[in-house]
Amino acid sequence: MAYVTSEAPTRRELSACVQCGLCLPHCPTFRLTGRESAGPRGRLMAMSAVLDGVLTVDEAFDDAMSYCLQCRACEAVCPGLVPFGRAMEGARAELDAQRPSTRRSVRKLILGSVLPNRRLIGLATFGASVVQRLRLGRLLPGPIRSPFNGMRSLGGRQSWVGREALPAQDPIGTIGLLAGCVMDSWFGPVHDATIGVLTAAGYRVTVPEQQTCCGALAAHDGHTAVTRELAETNRNAFADVDLVVSDAAGCTAHLKDYDHWVDGGFQAEVRDATELVAELIDTGRLPIVPGERGTVAVQDPCHLRHAQRITTAPRSILSAAGYTPLEIDPDALCCGAAGIYSVLHPDTSQELGARKASQVLGSGAPVVASANPGCEMQLRSHLDGKIAVAHPVELYWRALSESRLDTSSRSGAL
Ligand code: SF4
Ligand code: SF4
């Protein structure tokens, strides 16, 4: 059977590929296997063959599509501007429609009903915090153990959802911050830092209660109806803000794509926290923090670098915080986290994670900056506590807070 959904890859998207192969060296799964069917060109050819009725959405098609990390490194280097991410989302939507399986239904339930449910995430967070406190992580099954080992210490934080933070003076505008499915419970210090920095720049920051999970993971797994529903909820929740900001690169990339999922998309512009903070430093709304703080390795999340094409911003933020950013991977290959990929393809994920961790350690820096929670967990799991991992905005906020403390204690001593 050829394609059956309106999300399917289109002739226009697929015919943009001229089969030049320039994307191949940038594709992690092609580099690991050397197989054409595990590279972007082969995957696009398979999608075209189904469109032409030469192939069907069968097991082999499922394997070729499911093995893709959706890192979009191929898209970023493609001279034909093939919208690979969109085509792959379409192929996954077809798999969801044409090859229903128990495993896919379980994933749909988790991505569509568990992740967007704050109460269930709260329960899962509580359970994980107990496992952390009792140091029972080693007893978890393999595919879950690695992400679990990459978690920050949980518990003891007040949620930002339903709250707002005000600047010292009249606000220059209102920012709606995406709480994220797990960002608020698992990465609270990143939200604290983002809100601290944005209010210091003069913004009122609100974290609307009515918002939900961004839907990126559901979209990547082909669950179209769920993705649309989540996008609709968020569009309404953020109707009254001037800017929508996310401090999780994977979420921001998906929010920027909302006009595909709901009519008109967001009314407000969407910005990644790194992008906005770098701009606020550039325009003098936020200061260059005095002092030198040593080196920091920079990890480029795929959905920051390849999907949003943001590379300068995290480095500028780190420099403004007094750090010397170190490059670790000129090829910017995926770290292997890739949403739920680490659970679905643990071996490949581990191989890519170990590669990235050795690049980080090879830099000699005592800390690595990553602007995406999935990458952060993958790095922490593979670095095994050898060096610290933090969001670039978090490092800037720490430096700014320390410098303010320093200034006020010095003025107090005078
Ligand atoms: S996807 Fe782009 S880079 Fe890759 S083979 Fe096709 S045209 Fe070339
Ligand atoms: S999205 Fe990433 S893994 Fe998938 S084909 Fe492109 S480069 Fe390869």
Side-chain angles (χ1 to χ4, degrees):
M1 200 196 305
Y3 295 131
V4 297
T5 75
S6 59
E7 281 302 308
T10 64
R11 177 83 58 203
R12 195 164 169 204
E13 288 161 359
L14 299 175
S15 62
C17 177
V18 294
Q19 302 182 4
C20 63
L22 286 174
C23 51
L24 297 180
H26 301 270
C27 172
T29 52
F30 180 79
R31 278 176 59 164
L32 288 179
T33 63
R35 280 191 282 115
E36 185 70 22
S37 62
R41 186 172 59 185
R43 289 175 174 131
L44 290 165
M45 285 167 79
M47 291 180 209
S48 294
V50 173
L51 190 65
D52 294 336
V54 177
L55 289 182
T56 55
V57 176
D58 58 9
E59 194 110 0
F61 185 79
D62 194 338
D63 288 347
M65 300 306 138
S66 304
Y67 191 48
C68 171
L69 292 139
Q70 292 177 287
C71 66
R72 292 168 68 178
C74 49
E75 191 175 311
V77 298
C78 174
L81 306 180
V82 174
F84 188 89
R86 161 80 42 241
M88 180 52 73
E89 281 176 357
R92 298 276 180 100
E94 285 295 324
L95 284 165
D96 188 54
Q98 293 197 39
R99 289 183 54 81
S101 71
T102 316
R103 282 200 309 169
R104 198 166 281 119
S105 305
V106 170
R107 295 205 309 255
K108 190 186 276 189
L109 184 77
I110 293 173
L111 302 178
S113 302
V114 178
L115 280 191
N117 186 320
R118 263 182 230 123
R119 213 167 277 171
L120 291 177
I121 291 295
L123 276 175
T125 305
F126 174 73
S129 71
V130 172
V131 175
Q132 273 186 344
R133 248 171 285 151
L134 298 177
R135 296 174 194 275
L136 297 176
R138 64 189 186 287
L139 301 179
L140 293 171
I144 298 177
R145 197 183 319 131
S146 183
F148 178 84
N149 288 340
M151 289 174 100
R152 294 180 179 219
S153 296
L154 298 170
R157 303 193 61 81
Q158 191 188 356
S159 165
W160 274 104
V161 177
R163 294 164 62 206
E164 66 168 20
L166 295 168
Q169 292 88 28
D170 281 347
I172 57 170
T174 295
I175 283 174
L177 182 71
L178 182 85
C181 53
V182 296
M183 274 304 282
D184 195 58
S185 313
W186 298 3
F187 297 87
V190 180
H191 276 352
D192 295 347
T194 301
I195 290 169
V197 169
L198 294 177
T199 49
Y203 283 101
R204 166 180 172 249
V205 182
T206 166
V207 189
E209 170 87 47
Q210 302 76 8
Q211 66 175 298
T212 185
C213 163
C214 72
L217 296 180
H220 295 166
D221 209 34
H223 311 303
T224 307
V226 167
T227 309
R228 289 196 197 292
E229 213 176 287
L230 297 175
E232 181 82 47
T233 304
N234 280 333
R235 187 182 58 172
N236 296 336
F238 289 97
D240 297 329
V241 301
D242 301 313
L243 284 176
V244 178
V245 171
S246 157
D247 48 18
C251 305
T252 325
H254 184 66
L255 294 179
K256 286 182 176 178
D257 204 23
Y258 261 24
D259 53 358
H260 176 79
W261 298 104
V262 270
D263 279 344
F266 276 124
Q267 280 166 13
E269 203 184 328
V270 178
R271 311 296 295 278
D272 190 78
T274 56
E275 177 180 33
L276 180 59
V277 170
E279 190 181 294
L280 292 167
I281 293 167
D282 244 14
T283 52
R285 278 226 152 255
L286 286 169
I288 308 276
V289 185
E292 285 182 21
R293 291 177 176 77
T295 56
V296 56
V298 184
Q299 183 261 346
D300 288 302
C302 296
H303 282 81
L304 194 67
R305 180 167 174 144
H306 305 315
Q308 297 182 67
R309 315 286 160 94
I310 296 174
T311 49
T312 313
R315 290 158 176 80
S316 314
I317 294 171
L318 293 167
S319 299
Y323 287 96
T324 304
L326 298 181
E327 300 305 325
I328 57 161
D329 183 3
D331 294 339
L333 276 199
C334 178
C335 69
I340 55 173
Y341 193 91
S342 59
V343 178
L344 301 178
H345 298 279
D347 294 345
T348 304
S349 172
Q350 292 287 323
E351 198 169 343
L352 291 169
R355 178 185 179 277
K356 191 67 74 181
S358 94
Q359 289 173 324
V360 169
L361 291 173
S363 75
V367 58
V368 53
S370 173
N372 191 51
C375 310
E376 178 183 320
M377 286 169 71
Q378 176 82 329
L379 286 169
R380 192 172 286 114
S381 166
H382 284 270
L383 289 166
D384 205 18
K386 291 191 185 88
I387 73 168
V389 191
H391 191 289
V393 172
E394 216 178 350
L395 292 172
Y396 177 81
W397 179 236
R398 271 186 224 160
L400 188 62
S401 307
E402 277 164 22
S403 114
R404 282 174 169 174
L405 269 180
D406 197 33
T407 316
S408 62
S409 62
R410 260 188 280 135
S411 50
L414 282 173

